[in-house]
């Protein structure tokens, strides 16, 4: 179940491959039609509880990049 996996992953962020991890998580949350403000809150909380957090600006760029890509794909595909 995508919802269960996304929420479980928020609690257990990895120490390696963090950009890929957060990119995938943003995509999953967008797929579930989660509000952008909720995505920000969840990911920043997860990152703060990581043993090896991303810099705040790196996480912001990752969220924005994935969100823009998802929005472009939705416009193209309907």
């Amino acid at each position: 179940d995508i919802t269960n996996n996304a929420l479980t992953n928020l609690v257990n962020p990895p120490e390696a491959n963090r950009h890929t991890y957060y990119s995938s998580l943003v995509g999953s949350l967008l797929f579930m039609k989660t509000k952008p403000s909720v995505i920000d809150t969840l990911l920043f909380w997860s990152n703060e509880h990581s043993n090896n957090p991303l810099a705040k600006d790196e996480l912001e760029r990752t969220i924005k990049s994935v969100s823009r890509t998802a929005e472009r794909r939705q416009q193209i595909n309907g």
Side-chain angles (χ1 to χ4, degrees):
D1 175 45
I2 192 169
T3 304
N4 207 11
N5 286 336
L7 294 176
T8 300
N9 287 335
L10 283 167
V11 177
N12 300 308
E15 291 187 35
N17 302 316
R18 297 161 301 156
H19 287 93
T20 302
Y21 164 78
Y22 283 117
S23 294
S24 176
L25 198 49
V26 171
S28 294
L29 292 168
L30 288 169
F31 179 78
M32 293 185 292
K33 305 216 182 289
T34 306
K35 292 181 181 181
S37 62
V38 174
I39 292 173
D40 288 349
T41 299
L42 291 171
L43 268 67
F44 281 106
W45 179 88
S46 177
N47 191 53
E48 288 172 7
H49 290 85
S50 171
N51 290 331
N52 189 19
L54 287 174
K56 182 179 178 183
D57 62 328
E58 287 182 78
L59 185 56
E60 287 173 347
R61 280 194 306 271
T62 299
I63 294 168
K64 287 178 184 176
S65 175
V66 174
S67 297
R68 279 192 310 266
T69 300
E71 186 176 316
R72 280 193 303 268
R73 286 183 181 166
Q74 184 176 17
Q75 288 173 351
I76 291 169
N77 298 326

